[in-house]
Amino acid sequence: MSSVNEQAPATRMKAEDRRELVLAAATAVFGERGYFGATTDAVAKAAGVSQPYVVRMFGTKEALFLAVLTRALDRLLGAFRVALAGDGPAHPDGSAAPHRGLGAAYAELLADRGLLLSLMHGFILGSDTEIGACARAGFLQVYRFLREDAGFSADEVHEFLAEGMLLNTLVGIRMAVDYDTDPAARELLDTALPTKAEFLLALEGQRKPQA
Amino acid sequence: MSSVNEQAPATRMKAEDRRELVLAAATAVFGERGYFGATTDAVAKAAGVSQPYVVRMFGTKEALFLAVLTRALDRLLGAFRVALAGDGPAHPDGSAAPHRGLGAAYAELLADRGLLLSLMHGFILGSDTEIGACARAGFLQVYRFLREDAGFSADEVHEFLAEGMLLNTLVGIRMAVDYDTDPAARELLDTALPTKAEFLLALEGQRKPQA
DNA sequence: TTCTCAAGTAATCAGTCGATTACCACTGGA
DNA sequence: TCCAGTGGTAATCGACTGATTACTTGAGAA
């Protein structure tokens, strides 16, 4: 219908660019259906290439998923780092309070549904040997960043992560589809996304175009 | 090699009991691998019956998963209700503060890994038409309970749910396996489970029997 | 005792999916 | 210009899985 989707022999492209394109497509697909629910063929179609090419590019479906997780974590930490960097000058009183900046950065990451949802799917598959190890390492990497680089206290990290997991869940459950019809859903979303509710609703394509 | 697992023609049983047994097994399997990752055969083996019987009992795999979600929500709300009921008398000052009681009830539910993890898997599959609808309805049911029956404010529900989602994630990711080796994991778990860390570690079977 | 229905299985099928193989076509340097 | 390597596909295979069918067995009411 729209965005990423071709059909013909797929215009030639440098492998690195194609890889990034496939990773982006895979992130979307894994985010929607999880590791087991996603198929390499769905990823291939979303990326506009053939299924065997996707598999050969990463070796196995599992390796592809791990690549998606790694890329998502890189993006997450990257966004956090720029938020942290741009936070200092804008803070005249000198004392540390990067919560706002990092929170906003996180909220913006929600724009790519697949990114945080793929991570979330990975988190929940902790029983899987390889995926679990990757997920734990990534989660702890984020923890350490918040604790050490961002200067959060243990309680602050804890609160920040809890907030993040709730947001991920609300996006995953597509709570926004009930925003207009269920008062509880509306209140919950308004509370969880103080000023961002409209923004989130829009990018979920759940709202009529509205005036 | 322990708990639920038989082999021979499965001793005869009343359908209702068998159904509960299968639901318990399915909860464990879905909790570990998610909806798509779990197989009806794995559920059957865990319940000690044949695979066709599992399917015929619920019609489809999806119906089985929905039954698991419904049962999990019933248990969750049931545990909340008893916690809320037993909370009144123990509170001499009269003012409302059921947070402790409900939090403890939730922590105890973590003992059944599958219960909250199956829910979590359902939550994240919000894009699926049927599962998503069931998950949203259940989530909102919990929200309303906390808001109306437990008397939480919108902010309190929000905080309580965030905490819950983080706990679910920590259980799903099996963070406890890194408790002994990674200081960050230890700090995170100690912060998230103030007094319950040891308890959680034990029931994940991740700790050596310890003195 | 007998008869019937509920509890349960074995066998098997059709669709799906990840992976493999063999092949094709462009592009850029010698 | 040629040719080698890279970017890509078509065809297909084997394993897995959810579902279906047809059959078996035990318990309890008449």
Side-chain angles (χ1 to χ4, degrees), chain A residues 143-197:
Chain A
Y143 185 88
R144 278 187 222 100
F145 172 86
L146 294 171
R147 193 73 223 279
E148 298 165 11
D149 297 321
F152 282 25
S153 72
D155 281 334
E156 285 169 338
V157 180
H158 171 239
E159 189 185 334
F160 187 85
L161 289 176
E163 194 75 30
M165 294 307 106
L166 176 58
L167 287 175
N168 289 351
T169 306
L170 290 177
V171 171
I173 207 173
R174 284 190 176 272
M175 189 57 81
V177 308
D178 288 340
Y179 186 86
D180 289 321
T181 58
D182 193 312
R186 175 185 290 260
E187 185 181 87
L188 172 54
L189 287 172
D190 284 340
T191 308
L193 297 152
T195 65
K196 305 273 186 179

Side-chain angles (χ1 to χ4, degrees), chain A residues 23-209:
Chain A
L23 277 176
T27 300
V29 175
F30 280 126
E32 292 259 320
R33 314 247 309 170
Y35 172 64
F36 294 107
T39 76
T40 57
D41 190 61
V43 172
K45 284 197 169 61
V49 296
S50 67
Q51 179 263 343
Y53 194 36
V54 170
V55 171
R56 212 187 44 187
M57 230 174 171
F58 295 89
T60 65
K61 179 187 175 185
E62 185 177 63
L64 169 60
F65 186 61
L66 293 178
V68 164
L69 289 186
T70 303
R71 173 176 171 276
L73 275 164
D74 284 349
R75 299 237 164 163
L76 177 64
L77 287 174
F80 277 178
R81 268 189 262 271
V82 313
L84 203 60
D87 195 59
H91 224 300
D93 65 18
S95 91
H99 307 64
R100 283 273 160 223
L102 292 188
Y106 196 85
E108 279 177 33
L109 283 175
L110 291 173
D112 181 354
R113 281 184 60 85
L115 201 87
L116 293 177
L117 283 187
S118 287
L119 278 179
M120 208 63 184
H121 279 290
F123 291 161
I124 290 194
L125 288 183
S127 302
D128 182 287
T129 318
E130 313 236 24
I131 296 175
C134 177
R136 280 188 295 275
F139 199 98
L140 289 174
Q141 203 179 340
V142 173
Y143 185 88
R144 278 187 222 100
F145 172 86
L146 294 171
R147 193 73 223 279
E148 298 165 11
D149 297 321
F152 282 25
S153 72
D155 281 334
E156 285 169 338
V157 180
H158 171 239
E159 189 185 334
F160 187 85
L161 289 176
E163 194 75 30
M165 294 307 106
L166 176 58
L167 287 175
N168 289 351
T169 306
L170 290 177
V171 171
I173 207 173
R174 284 190 176 272
M175 189 57 81
V177 308
D178 288 340
Y179 186 86
D180 289 321
T181 58
D182 193 312
R186 175 185 290 260
E187 185 181 87
L188 172 54
L189 287 172
D190 284 340
T191 308
L193 297 152
T195 65
K196 305 273 186 179
E198 287 291 334
F199 153 79
L200 179 63
L201 290 165
L203 63 82
E204 289 218 26
Q206 200 45 48
R207 212 75 189 286
K208 41 235 151 187

Side-chain angles (χ1 to χ4, degrees), chain B residues 4-26 43-50 53-54 57-58 64 71:
Chain B
V4 201
N5 212 326
E6 305 165 31
Q7 49 190 26
T11 60
R12 231 153 196 263
M13 216 164 150
K14 280 208 293 185
E16 195 179 353
D17 296 338
R18 183 66 78 187
R19 182 187 156 93
E20 168 56 24
L21 201 156
V22 169
L23 278 176
V43 172
K45 284 196 169 65
V49 296
S50 67
Y53 193 37
V54 170
M57 229 175 172
F58 295 90
L64 169 58
R71 174 176 170 278

Side-chain angles (χ1 to χ4, degrees), chain B residues 12-153:
Chain B
R12 231 153 196 263
M13 216 164 150
K14 280 208 293 185
E16 195 179 353
D17 296 338
R18 183 66 78 187
R19 182 187 156 93
E20 168 56 24
L21 201 156
V22 169
L23 278 176
T27 299
V29 175
F30 280 126
E32 292 259 321
R33 314 249 310 172
Y35 173 63
F36 293 108
T39 77
T40 56
D41 190 60
V43 172
K45 284 196 169 65
V49 296
S50 67
Q51 179 264 342
Y53 193 37
V54 170
V55 171
R56 211 187 44 188
M57 229 175 172
F58 295 90
T60 65
K61 179 188 174 183
E62 185 176 63
L64 169 58
F65 186 61
L66 293 177
V68 164
L69 290 186
T70 303
R71 174 176 170 278
L73 275 163
D74 284 349
R75 299 234 165 165
L76 177 64
L77 287 173
F80 277 178
R81 268 188 262 272
V82 312
L84 203 60
D87 194 60
H91 224 303
D93 64 16
S95 92
H99 307 64
R100 283 274 160 224
L102 292 188
Y106 196 84
E108 277 177 34
L109 284 174
L110 291 174
D112 182 353
R113 283 185 59 87
L115 199 89
L116 294 177
L117 283 187
S118 288
L119 278 179
M120 207 62 184
H121 279 290
F123 292 162
I124 290 195
L125 287 183
S127 302
D128 182 286
T129 318
E130 312 236 26
I131 295 175
C134 177
R136 280 188 295 277
F139 199 99
L140 289 173
Q141 202 179 339
V142 172
Y143 185 89
R144 277 186 222 99
F145 172 85
L146 293 172
R147 192 74 222 283
E148 298 163 11
D149 297 320
F152 282 25
S153 73

